[in-house]
Amino acid sequence: AQSVAQPEDQVNVAEGNPLTVKCTYSVSGNPYLFWYVQYPNRGLQFLLKYITGDNLVKGSYGFEAEFNKSQTSFHLKKPSALVSDSALYFCAVRDRTNAGKSTFGDGTTLTVKP
Amino acid sequence: SAVISQKPSRDICQRGTSLTIQCQVDSQVTMMFWYRQQPGQSLTLIATANQGSEATYESGFVIDKFPISRPNLTFSTLTVSNMSPEDSSIYLCSVVAGNYYEQYFGPGTRLTVT
């Protein structure tokens, strides 16, 4: 079985400050990990993924995520938040041996205040 | 990547009627999913629809209520049958594309049942 936890329903940061959106996962094997973003009144967009190799992966809009195998975490980060980053963020995991679907977290609402 | 369109984008329906939602993808994909999402909330997977096989439904969802067709590798429909106000939600079509199973989502169909 595979599962994802996003422990924070809401994250608030000031514009220009660094942001972190947390994600922990559980899989029986090695994971593929993903972040998706949903801007207000818009569809879900793929943001970045971890497959293998470097634990720090870079994605769209200046976001990056750090894979930590020992802590089974995949936190989303950005050095300097923008008001336009305000959105709903979903973490997802897929077991490499699983021929089926990814499991999504419950989502974290990020609000960046000017 | 994949570009997905959905029709209709929104609809208001009477209790007891049915609505068929169409999902069109700009490339051939094997794995396709249907989700339900309350605005600002988490995703709930309804079913997985792979071309050439019967759709696989998640716990709590049944074929009589949510029949799915997948006639080819670029198209699928989801029907919401005998609707009640509890079916009011956003319905999302999603496909797996890319080398490592990242998902792409349609813009959604916002359904209101009165």
Side-chain angles (χ1 to χ4, degrees), chain A residues 32 34 36 38 41 43-44 46 49 51 88 90 94 99-102 104-106, chain B residues 31 33 35 37 40-43 45 48 58 92 100-106 110:
Chain A
Y32 294 132
F34 309 91
Y36 297 85
Q38 187 173 37
N41 298 314
L44 271 156
F46 167 68
K49 65 188 176 191
I51 303 303
L88 180 58
F90 291 97
R94 185 179 178 284
K101 53 195 178 288
S102 293
F104 284 76
D106 288 339
Chain B
M31 296 175 71
F33 307 97
Y35 290 87
Q37 182 188 29
Q41 301 296 317
S42 61
L43 302 173
L45 181 63
T48 301
E58 298 298 305
L92 296 166
Y100 296 105
Y101 304 104
E102 61 263 31
Q103 289 182 233
Y104 294 87
F105 291 82
R110 184 180 291 260

